[in-house]
Amino acid sequence: MRYSFASRTVSLLSSPLRQIRENARLNSFISLAEELPAQELFPVKLLEEAAQDVLASGPDVLQYGEPEGFRPLREWLIAEWENRKNAMIVPSQVLLTTGTQQAIDLVVRLMVDEGDSVLVENPTSPGCLQVLSMQGARVIPTVSDGNGLLIHNLEQQMKLHRPKLLFAAPTFSNPTGGVWDLGRRQDVLELCRRYSVLFVEDDSYGELDLNLKRGEVHLPSLFALDDGGRGGQVLYIGSFSKTIAPALRTGWAAGAAPVIEGMTVLKQLADTQSSTMNQRLLHRLLAGPPFSWHDHLALLNKEYATRLKLMLELLKRPLWKEVTWRVPEGGMYVWARLPEGLDSAILLKAALPKGVAFLPGGLCTAGKEGASYIRLNFSHPGRDELFLGMNLIGETIAEFTARS
Amino acid sequence: MRYSFASRTVSLLSSPLRQIRENARLNSFISLAEELPAQELFPVKLLEEAAQDVLASGPDVLQYGEPEGFRPLREWLIAEWENRKNAMIVPSQVLLTTGTQQAIDLVVRLMVDEGDSVLVENPTSPGCLQVLSMQGARVIPTVSDGNGLLIHNLEQQMKLHRPKLLFAAPTFSNPTGGVWDLGRRQDVLELCRRYSVLFVEDDSYGELDLNLKRGEVHLPSLFALDDGGRGGQVLYIGSFSKTIAPALRTGWAAGAAPVIEGMTVLKQLADTQSSTMNQRLLHRLLAGPPFSWHDHLALLNKEYATRLKLMLELLKRPLWKEVTWRVPEGGMYVWARLPEGLDSAILLKAALPKGVAFLPGGLCTAGKEGASYIRLNFSHPGRDELFLGMNLIGETIAEFTARS
């Protein structure tokens, strides 16, 4: 039969991500397009021990659990936020999700009717833009400089469009790895209050702090600034996918009780619940010893800083001479601007047959300027792959610039 | 701030399921409203061994995997369908999901625009009705007798409403536990072909065959009847939640490659992917020895048949004398009709303070006649709970009937 799909799925089905993924399955293909953490750093041995403990405790582990997620893990998160992040909330304000992607999908399904305006930091994560497009939101990109969103411009947009949500990642965004300064955080929160806009704070990469010199001084999240997480103006989302391991599929949303309740109802409709077994595993690990969460983060950040350093060295090579970038302060990516006139989607078509991929910037942007950018991942490829991959991409760029 | 939710979420947020769940958390509360399997029968020891094996194989297990799901588990399913169920398909026709609930959500998001007509077998699962309502579908209940949908009526509805989908569970439906006969299966499939309607076959309970006398003679699924799964007219969905363990959160959708591809793209937007670790665990278990899938199903069905027998005995007691029901042939529920004039939602309000719950029939029906029914679960409560719970519900019914 001929299948007639829903109208909003059509653009999703033709996304270039599918082509990248098909290629990435081939042996010897190098993908710098991925969002994968380094598997060498997964605490696999300790998770094996945790699994033994958890499954030995009996069949309850394998039953359906609370749809909000395993309560001791929600309590662990709350204690962590209280100790390290100046937020003090209660368990009914936390929902465990299947990664941040599900948290984004749920809040958008809860809040957004077709045609509703939603502001997004630009560039932003591809997953966020896809969800908004699927829900029929009117996506309005908002401008930032190196220190956060531009306040005057943001206020104009709020006045004009009356958006329901503002999506942003103030700490180590995907793709730029940038950080908003404290003043900008306070000002944006204040505007959200004034115009009654829910701020969705994507903190997926917030623990991946590569600026080791800054050390322990973290800027507060907007969630913490919003009366220690109790103000109701911010929905804070995050995940263990980049810090512990993706296959545990555990993220969270924390915010006002009515929003969390609504998301919980929608989560039951979407997949009944996430795996409480995996949530128990994570909780067993985190409650350690022998595992130390903070030592683990330090190890991760040291290794990722080394990988970033290598990528930055490679970007200085002659093949890359017309490409510009800002050094990311955290996260897993370098967001690089191509030479004038070169389109990243066209560049990708030329790169794939060479056995290499990057993420074309259009997937991270709501406007058109994304076509001038590419996103390069440095957390996953090994040293040799990174050398070879950067060389192949650099060559492809050089071939275009030599022609023009 | 005041939160302005999307228009279609409003009815979901006021569902009586929330009240049942709040009560069910209290100690000594007995819920016959749940969809929980018997945890005494989970293969927890063998899953513990499988977890050791799987995690000992290295960190790959914890990385992101293929969004379609762990390929060896998809291949195991394909072999199982080939050996036992007369379907012969290829891996690109199978997507692993977070339970059947996610499979339903994904196919509806893929196919249904607001206002599109969707036919549903009536009564049907609460989860299916919630998804359709959230997507803005025009839900059209279709009539069945004890042997399946009524063909003449179905054709009239197809002509009149031009539906995109038809949802049904021909083998052991939630809530009735009924079975369609072979002729009805063939006729419904033929109508779907003629009117270009995708048949979504919910086989969540298909392995829970309580009619032990029938033994190994299973009726073919509509999926198998549709050219051995290759016809493209049927999307077949199922899950290990009721047969192995819910916390592994593993279900599937199998069907035409373009539909599976579309659902895979939407799945990535919804939650990136399900846990490949859990899929590997399941595969390790199923590929046994020492585990035997077919012996395990036989054990499960023997125990559930015993529990059903007890419930049927209790239903014969005087307290239940004005209640009628059909003996289910499979699944986990008895679908019972209340005495004339008694509304199941009102009955529930009276039952909750006594410390007992059932599922009010309105949640399983698209029309209004659901108010006369309740759904009783016999798979989860232990023997004493079942006695006490049935007694309390029977008392509550008797109090109403005595009054009138």
Side-chain angles (χ1 to χ4, degrees):
Chain A
M1 66 178 280
R2 282 192 59 242
Y3 305 100
S4 151
F5 294 151
S7 50
R8 293 201 295 256
T9 60
V10 176
S11 66
L12 281 169
L13 297 179
S14 60
S15 159
L17 277 175
R18 290 176 67 198
Q19 213 187 343
I20 295 174
R21 188 165 337 100
E22 287 309 313
N23 275 283
R25 288 176 191 190
L26 307 174
N27 274 335
S28 85
F29 190 89
I30 298 173
S31 178
L32 306 185
E34 307 298 324
E35 305 196 342
L36 275 65
Q39 60 210 51
E40 309 85 272
L41 303 175
F42 295 159
V44 59
K45 191 69 205 154
L46 294 177
L47 277 168
E48 188 186 334
E49 289 167 27
Q52 259 175 282
D53 266 22
V54 163
L55 283 161
S57 73
D60 255 11
V61 174
L62 295 168
Q63 188 56 283
Y64 288 108
E66 290 186 277
E68 298 85 350
F70 187 53
R71 192 173 168 121
L73 182 56
R74 287 185 284 141
E75 285 166 348
W76 184 92
L77 282 165
I78 288 170
E80 164 79 1
W81 295 331
E82 193 172 328
N83 294 334
R84 283 178 67 216
K85 300 188 171 178
N86 295 310
M88 289 188 65
I89 61 168
V90 295
S92 60
Q93 291 183 264
V94 186
L95 168 67
L96 300 182
T97 59
T98 305
T100 42
Q101 186 64 32
Q102 185 177 52
I104 294 172
D105 192 37
L106 292 176
V107 69
V108 169
R109 291 177 91 178
L110 178 66
M111 304 285 292
V112 176
D113 276 315
E114 180 159 18
D116 281 348
S117 295
V118 172
L119 292 171
V120 295
E121 184 179 23
N122 206 31
T124 191
S125 75
C128 168
L129 292 172
Q130 286 187 329
V131 166
L132 290 170
S133 137
M134 183 63 198
Q135 190 70 4
R138 203 154 62 86
V139 177
I140 298 158
T142 181
V143 188
S144 46
D145 60 14
N147 301 311
L149 298 182
L150 296 180
I151 298 302
H152 178 71
N153 173 71
L154 183 64
E155 178 156 21
Q156 295 304 104
Q157 289 180 312
M158 286 186 177
K159 270 187 194 159
L160 186 63
H161 301 292
R162 296 284 161 186
K164 272 196 169 169
L165 307 175
L166 164 54
F167 263 95
T171 309
F172 317 140
S173 95
N174 171 3
T176 71
V179 175
W180 298 7
D181 67 29
L182 183 60
R184 217 64 77 85
R185 288 169 192 246
Q186 286 163 330
D187 292 348
V188 169
L189 182 61
E190 185 47 40
L191 281 185
C192 285
R193 277 205 193 102
R194 197 175 312 153
Y195 294 93
S196 212
V197 176
L198 182 68
F199 186 83
V200 182
E201 179 168 28
D202 181 357
D203 204 36
S204 301
Y205 297 87
E207 296 290 2
L208 301 185
D209 186 347
L210 304 176
N211 194 340
L212 295 174
K213 277 170 279 178
R214 193 169 53 221
E216 277 303 296
V217 188
H218 282 275
L219 284 164
S221 63
L222 274 78
F223 183 61
L225 291 173
D226 184 29
D227 192 20
R230 292 178 304 270
Q233 202 65 52
V234 179
L235 185 78
Y236 174 71
I237 64 181
S239 161
F240 291 108
S241 292
K242 311 306 185 202
T243 53
I244 304 278
L248 298 170
R249 308 300 307 117
T250 303
W252 62 78
V259 176
I260 294 297
E261 248 177 64
M263 290 173 71
T264 305
V265 171
L266 285 180
K267 175 156 173 58
Q268 289 169 78
L269 167 161
D271 68 2
T272 313
Q273 56 185 244
S274 297
S275 170
T276 43
M277 184 188 79
N278 294 4
Q279 293 163 3
R280 283 176 197 252
L281 261 177
L282 259 171
H283 178 255
R284 181 66 199 80
L285 178 81
L286 290 163
F291 183 77
S292 157
W293 169 238
H294 302 128
D295 292 353
H296 179 72
L297 290 178
L299 175 79
L300 217 60
N301 287 331
K302 195 167 162 230
E303 175 62 25
Y304 284 173
T306 305
R307 296 184 186 203
L308 169 61
K309 214 174 140 194
L310 175 57
M311 181 172 273
L312 295 174
E313 283 306 314
L314 296 171
L315 280 165
K316 286 178 196 155
R317 292 191 166 188
L319 286 173
W320 290 86
K321 68 176 186 296
E322 290 177 59
V323 173
T324 56
W325 67 92
R326 275 177 75 111
V327 176
E329 303 206 50
M332 310 197 320
Y333 315 104
V334 172
W335 179 242
R337 192 185 173 90
L338 295 174
E340 189 70 31
L342 182 50
D343 182 305
S344 58
I346 293 168
L347 184 68
L348 181 65
K349 282 210 181 82
L352 289 176
K354 290 179 190 270
V356 71
F358 51 81
L359 195 83
L363 293 173
C364 298
T365 49
K368 281 196 176 138
E369 72 280 24
S372 314
Y373 288 86
I374 62 176
R375 190 192 75 182
L376 299 166
N377 168 261
F378 57 83
S379 61
H380 185 250
R383 199 178 167 80
D384 292 350
E385 276 188 311
L386 198 62
F387 262 103
L388 186 56
M390 289 294 286
N391 210 39
L392 288 169
I393 299 170
E395 265 176 35
T396 320
I397 295 172
E399 283 164 21
F400 275 96
T401 49
R403 260 183 256 161
S404 63
Chain B
M1 67 178 279
R2 281 191 60 243
Y3 305 100
S4 151
F5 294 150
S7 51
R8 292 201 296 256
T9 60
V10 175
S11 66
L12 282 169
L13 296 178
S14 60
S15 160
L17 277 175
R18 290 176 66 198
Q19 213 187 343
I20 297 174
R21 190 167 332 101
E22 285 311 312
N23 275 284
R25 289 177 191 188
L26 306 173
N27 274 335
S28 85
F29 189 89
I30 298 174
S31 178
L32 307 187
E34 308 299 322
E35 306 195 342
L36 275 65
Q39 61 210 52
E40 308 87 272
L41 303 175
F42 294 160
V44 59
K45 191 70 204 153
L46 293 177
L47 277 167
E48 190 186 332
E49 288 168 27
Q52 258 175 281
D53 265 23
V54 163
L55 283 160
S57 73
D60 255 12
V61 175
L62 295 167
Q63 187 57 282
Y64 289 108
E66 289 185 277
E68 297 85 349
F70 186 54
R71 191 173 169 120
L73 182 56
R74 288 186 283 141
E75 286 166 348
W76 184 93
L77 283 166
I78 288 170
E80 165 79 1
W81 296 330
E82 194 172 328
N83 294 334
R84 281 179 68 217
K85 301 186 170 178
N86 295 310
M88 290 189 65
I89 60 169
V90 295
S92 60
Q93 291 183 265
V94 186
L95 169 67
L96 298 182
T97 60
T98 305
T100 42
Q101 186 64 33
Q102 185 177 54
I104 295 172
D105 192 36
L106 293 176
V107 69
V108 169
R109 292 177 90 178
L110 178 66
M111 304 285 294
V112 176
D113 276 316
E114 181 159 17
D116 280 348
S117 294
V118 173
L119 292 172
V120 295
E121 183 180 24
N122 206 32
T124 192
S125 76
C128 168
L129 291 172
Q130 287 187 330
V131 166
L132 290 170
S133 137
M134 183 64 197
Q135 190 70 4
R138 203 155 63 87
V139 177
I140 297 159
T142 182
V143 188
S144 45
D145 59 15
N147 301 311
L149 299 181
L150 296 181
I151 299 302
H152 178 70
N153 173 71
L154 183 64
E155 178 156 20
Q156 295 303 104
Q157 289 180 313
M158 285 187 178
K159 270 187 192 156
L160 186 64
H161 301 293
R162 295 284 159 186
K164 272 195 169 170
L165 306 175
L166 163 55
F167 263 96
T171 309
F172 316 142
S173 95
N174 172 2
T176 70
V179 175
W180 298 7
D181 67 29
L182 182 60
R184 218 65 79 82
R185 288 170 193 245
Q186 286 164 331
D187 292 348
V188 169
L189 183 59
E190 185 47 41
L191 280 185
C192 286
R193 277 205 192 102
R194 197 175 311 153
Y195 292 94
S196 214
V197 176
L198 182 68
F199 186 83
V200 182
E201 179 169 28
D202 181 357
D203 203 36
S204 300
Y205 296 88
E207 297 290 1
L208 302 184
D209 185 346
L210 304 176
N211 194 340
L212 296 175
K213 277 170 279 176
R214 194 169 53 223
E216 277 301 296
V217 188
H218 282 276
L219 284 164
S221 63
L222 274 78
F223 183 61
L225 291 173
D226 185 30
D227 192 20
R230 295 177 303 270
Q233 202 65 51
V234 179
L235 185 78
Y236 174 71
I237 64 180
S239 160
F240 292 108
S241 292
K242 311 305 184 203
T243 52
I244 305 279
L248 297 170
R249 308 300 308 116
T250 303
W252 63 79
V259 176
I260 294 297
E261 251 177 60
M263 290 173 72
T264 306
V265 170
L266 285 180
K267 176 157 175 57
Q268 290 169 78
L269 166 161
D271 68 2
T272 312
Q273 57 186 243
S274 298
S275 170
T276 43
M277 184 187 77
N278 294 4
Q279 294 163 3
R280 283 176 198 253
L281 261 177
L282 259 172
H283 177 254
R284 180 68 198 78
L285 177 80
L286 291 164
F291 182 76
S292 157
W293 169 235
H294 301 129
D295 292 353
H296 180 71
L297 290 178
L299 176 77
L300 217 59
N301 286 332
K302 196 168 161 229
E303 176 62 26
Y304 284 172
T306 305
R307 295 185 186 202
L308 169 61
K309 212 174 141 196
L310 174 58
M311 181 172 273
L312 295 175
E313 284 304 315
L314 295 170
L315 280 166
K316 287 179 195 154
R317 292 192 164 188
L319 286 173
W320 291 86
K321 68 175 187 295
E322 290 176 59
V323 173
T324 55
W325 67 91
R326 274 175 75 111
V327 176
E329 302 207 51
M332 309 196 321
Y333 314 104
V334 172
W335 179 243
R337 191 184 172 91
L338 295 174
E340 189 67 32
L342 182 50
D343 183 303
S344 58
I346 293 169
L347 184 70
L348 181 65
K349 282 210 180 84
L352 289 175
K354 291 180 191 269
V356 71
F358 51 81
L359 195 83
L363 293 173
C364 299
T365 50
K368 282 200 172 134
E369 73 281 22
S372 315
Y373 288 86
I374 60 176
R375 190 192 74 183
L376 299 165
N377 169 260
F378 57 82
S379 62
H380 186 249
R383 197 176 167 83
D384 293 350
E385 276 187 312
L386 198 62
F387 262 103
L388 186 56
M390 288 293 286
N391 210 37
L392 289 168
I393 299 171
E395 264 177 35
T396 320
I397 295 173
E399 282 164 23
F400 276 95
T401 49
R403 258 182 257 162
S404 63

